[in-house]
Amino acid sequence: MKIVLISTYELGRQPFGLASPAAWLRARGHAVDCLDLSRESLDEARIGEAGLVAFYVPMHTATRLAVEWIEPVRRLNPRAALCFYGLYAPVNEAWLRDLGVAAILGGEFEEGLARLADRLAAGASANGAQPEPVISLERQQFLLPDRSGLVPLGRYARLVVADGSERIAGYTEASRGCKHRCRHCPVVPVYNGVFRVVQPEVVLEDIRRQVAAGAQHITFGDPDFFNGPRHALGIVRELHRRFPALTYDVTIKVEHLLARRGDLAALEATGCLFVTTAVESVDDAVLALLEKSHTRADFFELVPRFREAGLALHPTFVPFTPWTTLAGYADLIETLRSLDLVENVAPVQLAIRLLVPAGSRLLELDDVRRIAEPFDRASLAHPWRHPDERVDALQQEIEALVKRCHLEGTSRVETFGRIERVARQAAGLPPVSDWRGGTIARAAIPFLTEPWYC
């Protein structure tokens, strides 16, 4: 059977979520085309020939974009069965089925997608009850991702290093899910504290092939690289042995970075350039509500440890929550400046507003239930308004400012300065006098050309 797998957005990366299931489907004898609509146009001829069109939806933005393609695909091929798979598929199941999506697959989706394809190829109808589990947490023996037919790595986000040069960046996953249940995390409604590993030989061979295709840097997309530290460190040690010039980046929780501080040296020695960590807030009350398992003091302790280890820290934030105050936001900005982290934080991180998607654990909180409106299918979230309308107004102003600065090509330091002026004015604080940036130059902080956001 002819199958088209579609990705609409994956943070500027070549989609692992197409390459991995493509291998499973081709191993079963199916003809698979992969389309990444963030980098290429919809191929009408391929859609017209498909018996199954499956959209990969690993995040909020990807899901909203994918939904817009349902009607165009249906017009081109009304006979094709539609499937949505990935993290955001099961939490939006009811709505997607109302839109005519026949199959919903979340968690470890490869086996379910292969079974769906086999069933349809054998003549089964896409209508009726779905026998494949909507969420599967079964342990899988992964196949080597098949990246043939994907847009070349050179057309995706690149790594920028100290001398201003760019390196081709690849992407892989060594694990999925997460042991933790942070209240706002979209992984939790699907995995609920479970994580699954990709076999090391699969990960290493996938990277070897990307290196052969030109990759000079690898992003590991695991929700938390230290959920299984022995598994993770074993992979990067072997990776460094095979490719000593290859660099990489990972995402790790603050609490893991402190608990395993001795492993920071191992990361640096094996080619890690930077670590993304979800700090989210510098307000201990907010951190407790989000169940982040770290504190403001932990964040302050982590920063110098990273500098001692020769690693760059990329903290991420959700600065606008129902508990944010004008003074609290100004304090976050002051904290980043005092810790000399201005160049480490993408400006978009300072404009993000807490998302309350379907199934979110945030709805366990009385504070959130009081202000959350019914689920809005257009935004794929429960809209909410801050009890202090001035905070919502500030968020909108910061978001517009960040977008404007991005379009103008404004530096991070200048953008931060503008944000700080707006924040302090909103909080009734005097402006900071004569600040022209921190002591750490932008060039010293490696970064990917696609800002991180969902």
Side-chain angles (χ1 to χ4, degrees):
M1 184 173 66
K2 293 187 176 181
I3 301 169
V4 176
L5 303 179
I6 297 178
S7 172
T8 56
Y9 180 64
E10 198 174 355
L11 297 174
R13 305 159 175 164
Q14 189 187 66
F16 181 91
L18 298 190
S20 180
W24 288 66
L25 294 165
R26 287 167 180 156
R28 304 274 187 120
H30 300 290
V32 181
D33 285 316
C34 296
L35 294 176
D36 182 354
L37 299 183
S38 74
R39 294 296 187 273
E40 58 188 325
S41 301
L42 187 73
D43 189 319
E44 296 184 1
R46 295 181 186 181
I47 296 295
E49 296 171 350
L52 171 64
V53 177
F55 290 89
Y56 177 51
V57 287
M59 60 193 69
H60 183 260
T61 299
T63 310
R64 294 186 66 178
L65 293 171
V67 165
E68 295 176 3
W69 284 104
I70 290 177
E71 281 305 319
V73 166
R74 184 179 283 118
R75 284 197 302 270
L76 290 168
N77 187 345
R79 302 175 306 281
L82 298 182
C83 171
F84 272 53
Y85 68 97
L87 198 62
Y88 269 76
V91 295
N92 292 294
E93 179 184 6
W95 179 48
L96 292 172
R97 293 200 189 279
D98 286 347
L99 294 175
V101 178
I104 306 293
L105 302 168
E108 306 301 277
F109 52 75
E110 284 88 350
E111 179 66 31
L113 191 54
R115 291 179 180 176
L116 169 65
D118 289 348
R119 180 165 59 85
L120 295 176
S125 171
N127 300 320
Q130 172 186 320
E132 299 80 24
V134 171
I135 296 177
S136 172
L137 300 181
E138 293 296 318
R139 288 180 170 86
Q140 296 184 145
Q141 178 62 49
F142 282 82
L143 300 181
L144 178 65
D146 187 344
R147 298 177 181 272
S148 58
L150 289 175
V151 174
L153 288 176
R155 290 181 56 192
Y156 287 92
R158 294 187 174 224
L159 175 78
V160 181
V161 292
D163 62 2
S165 63
E166 296 185 354
R167 298 178 186 172
I168 294 176
Y171 173 85
T172 196
E173 296 174 4
S175 67
R176 287 186 182 149
C178 187
K179 288 182 176 180
H180 303 273
R181 301 180 69 248
C182 301
R183 201 183 291 275
H184 64 306
C185 178
V187 175
V188 174
V190 175
Y191 282 91
N192 196 30
V194 173
F195 95 106
R196 294 287 180 252
V197 301
V198 182
Q199 289 71 33
E201 63 274 13
V202 173
V203 179
L204 290 165
E205 178 60 17
D206 183 36
I207 294 173
R208 186 195 70 78
R209 294 191 178 189
Q210 292 186 71
V211 170
Q216 301 160 292
H217 177 88
I218 295 292
T219 291
F220 285 93
D222 310 41
D224 193 306
F225 199 60
F226 274 4
N227 268 317
R230 183 181 301 177
H231 169 72
L233 290 170
I235 287 174
V236 295
R237 285 180 173 129
E238 179 61 19
L239 182 66
H240 185 64
R241 186 188 72 80
R242 296 184 189 183
F243 306 104
L246 187 70
T247 58
Y248 66 91
D249 69 271
V250 296
T251 297
I252 304 175
K253 282 173 65 69
V254 170
E255 66 173 299
H256 285 171
L257 291 169
L258 288 175
R260 302 192 65 90
R261 62 195 70 183
D263 290 326
L264 296 184
L267 292 176
E268 192 278 333
T270 54
C272 184
L273 290 184
F274 65 88
V275 176
T276 300
T277 191
V279 177
E280 312 300 45
S281 176
V282 294
D283 184 318
D284 282 336
V286 175
L287 290 169
L289 288 164
L290 298 181
E291 295 188 3
K292 285 300 299 175
S293 300
H294 71 257
T295 64
R296 177 188 178 99
D298 291 335
F299 176 45
F300 275 63
E301 179 182 352
L302 190 63
V303 173
R305 291 190 179 276
F306 258 69
R307 290 183 177 139
E308 291 166 7
L311 290 168
L313 187 68
H314 284 200
T316 63
F317 297 93
V318 183
F320 290 96
T321 73
W323 310 284
T324 299
T325 64
L326 297 178
Y329 185 80
D331 175 63
L332 168 63
I333 302 303
E334 166 63 22
T335 296
L336 295 179
R337 183 162 62 84
S338 66
L339 292 175
D340 213 353
L341 288 173
V342 173
E343 295 284 15
N344 299 63
V345 179
V348 68
Q349 289 295 321
L350 303 178
I352 291 176
R353 194 170 188 270
L354 184 67
L355 190 71
V356 185
S360 173
R361 287 193 63 224
L362 289 164
L363 294 168
E364 298 171 358
L365 298 173
D366 290 339
D367 286 353
V368 175
R369 287 199 302 271
R370 275 194 294 268
I371 62 175
E373 299 175 13
F375 184 74
D376 176 51
R377 292 181 167 184
S379 63
L380 292 184
H382 292 272
W384 59 272
R385 293 183 181 179
H386 196 283
D388 183 348
E389 62 183 17
R390 297 175 301 167
V391 175
D392 281 343
L394 175 62
Q395 188 275 329
Q396 292 165 14
E397 184 174 3
I398 298 296
E399 184 175 44
L401 189 158
V402 169
K403 288 180 180 178
R404 188 165 60 251
C405 287
H406 176 71
L407 292 173
E408 294 171 355
T410 307
S411 70
R412 283 191 179 184
V413 167
E414 176 59 27
T415 301
F416 181 88
R418 295 183 190 181
I419 290 171
E420 184 165 46
R421 285 192 289 274
V422 170
R424 292 182 68 84
Q425 183 178 26
L429 299 171
V432 174
S433 59
D434 195 30
W435 180 71
R436 300 183 182 277
T439 60
I440 298 177
R442 179 77 192 97
I445 311 298
F447 66 99
L448 292 167
T449 54
E450 183 101 1
W452 185 96
Y453 66 99
C454 288

